[in-house]
Amino acid sequence: SQTIHQWPATLVQPVGSPLSLECTVEGTSNPNLYWYRQAAGRGLQLLFYSVGIGQISSEVPQNLSASRPQDRQFILSSKKLLLSDSGFYLCAWSSQGYGYTFGSGTRLTVV
Amino acid sequence: EDQVTQSPEALRLQEGESSSLNCSYTVSGLRGLFWYRQDPGKGPEFLFTLYSAGEEKEKERLKATLTKKESFLHITAPKPEDSATYLCAVSPGNQFYFGTGTSLTVIP
C-alpha cells in the first residue's frame, strides 16, 4: 500500500534562518507530488508541484523553493525565513488524476 | 478562471440533526470532484471522488452528490465525532483547486 511520510511535525524557527521540510512516498512510482500551505482559518494554497524528478512548477512567487532529487522525495526549502512563512505545510501525492493523499503536515512557526 | 466556493463557512448541528454542505465550482473540463475531511492539526483525509453529474457516493453517515455546477455532502444523523472541517476540491488536470472548507461542529 502507498504511504506518505512528512517531517518534522512541528518546527519553530527564527526569522532569517533556513528551512528544509522533507516528504517521501512509498509504494508507488512516478507520483505527482505537491506542497501546500494552509494558513489559520484559510484554504489550501498550492505552492509547488512536480510531475517528475527535477521538474518543479511554482504556483506562487515567494521566499520558498522546492526540489525533487529522487522519484519519491520532495523537499521544501528556504534560505531565509520570513514571519509570513508561518503556517501548516502539507505534502501530497496523486497518480493519474486520482485524489490526493496528504501527509500529516508540518506546523511551522517563524519567530 | 477555475474556482471552488464552499458554504456555509461554519455549521453547528445538534447530534442527530441532518444537514448538507455545499460546494459550487466553475472549472474547464472537470476530471473529478473530491471531498476531504480535516481534523485540527492533521492532513486532510480522503472521503469521496465524483466524476460525473448524477453520481452519488456513500460512506457511513455521509453521502456526496454531484451536479454540473455543484456538489453536496449530506450528513445524516451526525454524531460528535463527525466534527471536522470538510474540504471540497476539483481537478481539471494535474492540479487540484480547493475550497476554504466548512467547519462542522456537532453538539452532543
Side-chain angles (χ1 to χ4, degrees):
Chain A
S1 64
Q2 300 91 357
T3 57
I4 180 168
H5 303 280
Q6 186 180 343
W7 67 92
T10 59
L11 193 59
V12 180
Q13 292 284 95
V15 169
S17 63
L19 172 74
S20 181
L21 302 181
E22 188 164 344
C23 172
T24 59
V25 180
E26 296 178 358
T28 186
S29 297
N30 196 31
N32 293 337
L33 296 173
Y34 307 83
W35 278 111
Y36 278 87
R37 178 169 59 201
Q38 188 174 36
R42 300 182 65 180
L44 289 161
Q45 179 187 33
L46 178 63
L47 301 176
F48 301 95
Y49 72 93
S50 171
V51 298
I53 296 174
Q55 299 179 60
I56 308 294
S57 295
S58 174
E59 290 297 302
V60 182
Q62 59 205 328
N63 186 39
L64 302 170
S65 63
S67 62
R68 184 169 178 175
Q70 300 180 42
D71 181 44
R72 289 170 287 178
Q73 183 185 29
F74 205 22
I75 298 172
L76 182 69
S77 303
S78 174
K79 292 182 178 178
K80 291 184 178 182
L81 284 168
L82 307 172
L83 287 174
S84 57
D85 292 323
S86 294
F88 190 51
Y89 289 82
L90 288 158
C91 179
W93 76 273
S94 73
S95 180
Q96 309 246 327
Y98 293 108
Y100 283 171
T101 299
F102 285 90
S104 54
T106 295
R107 173 73 58 194
L108 172 65
T109 304
V110 182
V111 296
Chain B
E1 180 182 337
D2 298 330
Q3 282 191 332
V4 181
T5 303
Q6 290 188 249
S7 62
E9 288 187 13
L11 182 63
R12 289 173 63 89
L13 299 174
Q14 290 291 134
E15 184 172 0
E17 179 186 2
S18 301
S19 188
S20 296
L21 283 55
N22 177 262
C23 172
S24 299
Y25 65 90
T26 55
V27 64
S28 305
L30 180 71
R31 293 180 62 179
L33 184 140
F34 306 86
W35 282 99
Y36 290 85
R37 169 191 170 127
Q38 185 175 23
D39 293 301
K42 297 187 177 180
E45 176 187 343
F46 172 77
L47 292 174
F48 303 109
T49 307
L50 301 167
Y51 292 105
S52 58
E55 189 174 0
E56 297 183 354
K57 294 276 181 72
E58 287 190 65
K59 179 180 180 180
E60 297 181 353
R61 295 176 292 283
L62 301 176
K63 183 169 84 171
T65 62
L66 181 64
T67 72
K68 288 186 178 180
K69 293 186 177 181
E70 59 189 351
S71 176
F72 292 94
L73 185 64
H74 306 277
I75 303 177
T76 302
K79 298 181 177 181
E81 53 262 42
D82 294 322
S83 297
T85 295
Y86 291 85
L87 298 168
C88 167
V90 297
S91 172
N94 278 331
Q95 296 187 39
F96 291 70
Y97 297 94
F98 283 85
T100 53
T102 293
S103 176
L104 173 66
T105 303
V106 181
I107 305 163

